Amino acid sequence: MVVIERMTRPSRSHDRENVTPRVKPTLRISAACHLVPMSQPSVLTIAGSDSGGGAGIQADLKTFAAHGCYGTSAITALTAQNTKGVQDVFPSSPEFLEKQIDSILSDIDIKGIKSGMLFDANNTRAAISALKKHYLSSLSNSLPPFVVDPVCVSTSGHSLLDPAAIDVLLKDIFPMATLITPNKAEAELLLSRGRRREPALKIESIEDMLSAAEELAGFGSQSVLLKGGHLTVFSDDVQRVVANRPDLILVRDDFTSNGENMEILRVNQTGTSVSHELVVDVLYETSDKKMSILCRPRIRSTSTHGTGCTLSAAIAARLALGSDLTDAVKLAARYTHLGIETANPEIGHGHGPLNHFHSLKEALIPGRTPGNPYPLTTFFIRKSAKVWKAYVEHDFVKLLGRGILPKECFVRFIKQDYLYLRYYARAYALLAAKSSTFASISSATQTILSVLQEINTHKTFCSAWGISEEELEYETREEAATAAYGGYLIDVGLRGDSMMLLIALLSCLLGYGEVGLWLKRHTKENGRGKGGEGNEGWVVLEGNPYVEWIKDYSGEAYQQAVKLGLETIESRAAADPPSKVRLDEWFRIWERCTEFEKGFWDMAMVKE
Ligand SMILES: Cc1ncc(COP(=O)(O)O)c(N)n1
């Protein structure tokens, strides 16, 4: 029996010196807030109170705050409401509503207004009267951007607007509005009412939305955002409509917080397009008849209570901050989308609220939780869970752990690993070339020297198995798996920056550390193995020809090297948090290398 000599991979580590000086993770105010200027414009919402906190005034004030705006509110009605529905409504009197608006406008310089649930015709008139009194009675004052969300019915089906108020909306409020934001049901109701048409109008396609938006603009608002959340639409439909209407502007938002870069139209391996389910909103600007279609990926979620309120409040906030209308709508839709995506599904038992403060979360890395020192790595592993498991719990590892891995498999592995190390060393040479300090150049160079040591260990080991140095160096055919993996490392090194290269090298470093720990945990003494037949048996160290290999990777020295490598990457990510796009790019590199690692062991297991 051949006992394997030391084959440590200390070189598969990132030296601490490659770390930029450790910087405390910064509070990153992202998505919604990174454009917020130092000024804090005041914004007004005229809407109903939702005792459950998810919609109405409560959603609006949270949204204003998340955008760095100062929120004020005039309450049209109190609702006894939760995530399951509206239990009761208690209106403000029109006089009292008017007083609230007067109080605010007589004191605070309001830069944006939104209205939501207005309750009835009298309260709607009271709101109009207060606004007109303040803004339209003098020549110097003009109404600030005014977003009207024509809230009619709650998601739970409770009426929030007396039907008699609809005419007041159409005739008196819409002409004052910068933007109105009806959803499909509200647009159908408003148009049917406006046209006094029977049977009721139905909006069932993007084409229907386009004509409905144009028709709604006829009521006098400067623009219309017709929300398509309740319409099932696929990317094919959007393509078709855009192809037929060259005047349409397509605004795509591929942004999601989980790092996935959702492309609206993807081409699969066979070259055919894949149609994705989307949410499509239509924005029509009356003055120049500009029609835009805004698309984003659909999220399946029950945490949607208050979506309309949040969107219109975010648009008002954005307009108050100085965005133009298209940007305001696009950014507000993104903000709302992320609010749904990051919502806590455990709030309430019905349709839960959005997370209004996703933008205030530390960094963008979704795995970041207090006390987790490795959020980026956690994110990588979670998101690539399947392939990661296939790599670190590979049959190669399990058989090796039981000492029954065929010798030829191990020999193939070790020969290819020798060839792989050449790429690995060159990758570190590239890392040195990308370094700007002597400390990091030295660190990368040290790693290269360690690789040179390591190949000597490989040579020693191979000679013990009867493989000459000649054979190893000149006669071993490089397998496709080795060339692909090695070539990819060099490619990342050439086209990417040092962080991308470090991430490309991470899968190998961490994976071998994980394998070492897995093997250690699955010995009978440590009790985490399943025992019995098949590949799930106990890991045995005694008499195992690969025992030194196991000890090396589970040993303190290698585990320390892994820790150091992780810290390097994590501290660099914390010091310079990635954007979504960059995080996505990093993940793709990580995932690819993890696939290559698995492929490496697949290759070793194939018997010739
Ligand atoms: C006070 C108030 N305002 C608006 C809504 C609409 O929100 P949703 O459509 O999510 O129920 C609501 N439920 N309550």
Side-chain angles (χ1 to χ4, degrees):
M1 182 169 302
V2 183
V3 176
I4 296 164
E5 304 226 339
R6 280 189 65 79
M7 289 177 298
T8 53
R9 296 185 179 208
S11 52
R12 293 182 186 194
S13 64
H14 308 311
D15 199 296
R16 168 86 71 148
E17 281 162 15
N18 244 320
V19 186
T20 48
R22 295 204 76 185
V23 178
K24 265 186 91 187
T26 48
L27 233 202
R28 187 171 161 95
I29 312 252
S30 58
C33 291
H34 67 283
L35 296 174
V36 175
M38 291 314 285
S39 71
Q40 189 192 28
S42 299
V43 188
L44 165 65
T45 168
I46 305 170
S49 157
D50 169 7
S51 54
I57 292 284
Q58 286 79 359
D60 296 345
L61 291 178
K62 288 183 225 180
T63 303
F64 295 159
H67 283 78
C69 292
Y70 177 76
T72 64
S73 59
I75 300 182
T76 57
L78 302 176
T79 68
Q81 186 175 179
N82 54 27
T83 64
K84 294 194 280 186
V86 179
Q87 288 77 47
D88 208 350
V89 181
F90 182 79
S92 300
S93 68
E95 297 75 33
F96 191 69
L97 175 61
E98 201 164 342
K99 244 183 209 159
Q100 293 176 69
I101 301 173
D102 277 345
S103 295
I104 296 162
L105 298 185
S106 63
D107 180 35
I108 299 169
D109 184 16
I110 294 294
K111 300 288 188 209
I113 304 175
K114 78 144 268 189
S115 67
M117 168 191 181
L118 290 167
F119 180 67
D120 67 2
N122 284 341
N123 274 0
T124 307
R125 284 194 201 97
I128 295 167
S129 153
L131 291 176
K132 284 196 168 159
K133 190 165 46 179
H134 188 80
Y135 290 113
L136 307 177
S137 57
S138 80
L139 281 177
S140 57
N141 282 340
S142 60
L143 198 67
F146 181 24
V147 180
V148 175
D149 183 14
V151 174
C152 299
V153 181
S154 72
T155 312
S156 53
H158 199 286
S159 171
L160 299 176
L161 187 75
D162 188 302
I166 293 179
D167 284 339
V168 189
L169 273 188
L170 294 175
K171 288 204 194 83
D172 299 319
I173 283 231
F174 284 6
M176 296 167 73
T178 310
L179 177 73
I180 61 169
T181 62
N183 60 26
K184 169 177 141 53
E186 287 156 354
E188 286 169 348
L189 183 69
L190 293 165
L191 285 175
S192 301
R193 187 63 173 258
R195 294 179 183 176
R196 313 229 176 268
R197 184 205 245 207
E198 288 293 337
L201 174 119
K202 283 274 160 218
I203 298 172
E204 260 141 20
S205 63
I206 303 177
E207 287 90 341
D208 290 350
M209 286 180 77
L210 297 173
S211 49
E214 217 168 328
E215 197 176 335
L216 281 163
F219 294 111
S221 60
Q222 288 169 31
S223 53
V224 176
L225 178 69
L226 177 48
K227 299 174 294 187
H230 294 111
L231 206 77
T232 308
V233 171
F234 289 89
S235 45
D236 282 354
D237 302 320
V238 177
Q239 278 253 306
R240 193 195 60 241
V241 172
V242 172
N244 290 336
R245 293 260 319 243
D247 59 312
L248 289 182
I249 299 164
L250 182 60
V251 182
R252 314 180 338 173
D253 203 338
D254 297 348
F255 188 94
T256 59
S257 71
N258 63 6
E260 257 173 51
N261 187 11
M262 292 278 302
E263 288 156 34
I264 296 303
L265 274 175
R266 269 195 206 137
V267 173
N268 68 16
Q269 275 91 339
T270 56
T272 52
S273 64
V274 182
S275 202
H276 293 273
E277 200 177 345
L278 303 176
V279 173
V280 168
D281 298 330
V282 164
L283 177 64
Y284 181 71
E285 289 166 72
T286 319
S287 63
D288 48 7
K289 298 190 174 4
K290 188 169 125 190
M291 188 76 86
S292 310
I293 295 190
L294 294 98
C295 303
R296 60 189 172 280
R298 178 177 291 280
I299 319 169
R300 301 226 163 267
S301 170
T302 52
S303 301
T304 53
H305 174 51
T307 302
C309 308
T310 301
L311 178 73
S312 54
I315 299 171
R318 280 285 171 196
L319 292 172
L321 287 161
S323 292
D324 68 31
L325 186 71
T326 313
D327 267 358
V329 170
K330 186 176 165 183
L331 292 168
R334 175 183 294 181
Y335 168 79
T336 309
H337 179 97
L338 290 176
I340 299 171
E341 204 178 77
T342 62
N344 176 358
E346 283 168 15
I347 300 173
H349 296 88
H351 280 272
L354 280 62
N355 168 22
H356 290 95
F357 293 112
H358 53 80
S359 55
L360 298 180
K361 271 194 188 161
E362 195 175 315
L364 282 171
I365 299 163
R368 185 177 290 281
T369 50
N372 176 7
Y374 308 126
L376 180 65
T377 318
T378 309
F379 165 69
F380 285 161
I381 290 175
R382 281 204 192 132
K383 200 164 151 56
S384 64
K386 216 167 144 194
V387 58
W388 177 252
K389 194 166 169 348
Y391 160 36
V392 297
E393 294 181 24
H394 198 280
D395 275 354
F396 182 94
V397 175
K398 290 176 179 169
L399 295 175
L400 181 146
R402 294 172 66 196
I404 55 172
L405 178 72
K407 176 188 153 188
E408 66 201 270
C409 294
F410 195 82
V411 167
R412 168 129 13 93
F413 162 73
I414 209 76
K415 282 162 125 185
Q416 293 300 316
D417 202 42
Y418 179 85
L419 301 178
Y420 167 78
L421 283 175
R422 215 154 43 196
Y423 291 107
Y424 198 78
R426 288 170 60 206
Y428 270 95
L430 278 171
L431 192 62
K434 286 171 188 289
S435 304
S436 54
T437 61
F438 277 121
S440 48
I441 294 167
S442 156
S443 162
T445 313
Q446 286 303 323
T447 309
I448 297 171
L449 292 174
S450 308
V451 173
L452 298 179
Q453 282 295 316
E454 197 173 342
I455 59 157
N456 280 332
T457 323
H458 277 56
K459 282 181 196 162
T460 317
F461 168 70
C462 284
S463 76
W465 291 71
I467 303 154
S468 70
E469 201 173 322
E470 236 96 284
E471 187 184 339
L472 195 56
E473 188 70 34
Y474 304 111
E475 289 159 32
T476 305
R477 188 173 58 89
E478 187 173 279
E479 297 279 354
T482 314
Y485 190 4
Y488 183 75
L489 285 183
I490 301 299
D491 179 52
V492 172
L494 287 173
R495 70 183 158 83
D497 59 18
S498 58
M499 186 64 176
M500 285 163 69
L501 189 47
L502 283 169
I503 288 168
L505 295 162
L506 178 67
S507 183
C508 172
L509 172 75
L510 182 59
Y512 279 71
E514 276 293 293
V515 164
L517 288 182
W518 189 90
L519 289 168
K520 198 172 160 186
R521 276 202 303 267
H522 286 73
T523 56
K524 203 165 189 175
E525 307 78 70
N526 292 330
R528 295 272 289 274
K530 295 227 177 76
E533 290 304 306
N535 293 337
E536 296 291 324
W538 299 114
V539 168
V540 267
L541 299 181
E542 214 181 303
N544 187 328
Y546 310 114
V547 67
E548 290 303 325
W549 195 94
I550 298 171
K551 281 187 179 165
D552 277 341
Y553 290 110
S554 60
E556 191 54 30
Y558 190 79
Q559 292 301 325
Q560 271 305 320
V562 174
K563 194 160 173 275
L564 211 58
L566 288 179
E567 282 170 4
T568 302
I569 283 185
E570 295 291 346
S571 58
R572 286 191 54 160
D576 184 14
S579 66
K580 293 288 168 208
V581 173
R582 194 156 154 72
L583 185 62
D584 185 38
E585 192 174 32
W586 288 357
F587 175 75
R588 281 199 303 266
I589 295 171
W590 158 271
E591 190 183 38
R592 197 94 183 85
C593 288
T594 306
E595 286 163 1
F596 280 131
E597 283 291 349
K598 177 190 172 288
F600 207 81
W601 276 335
D602 287 346
M603 169 265 293
M605 295 286 284
V606 176
K607 293 205 180 111
E608 269 162 0

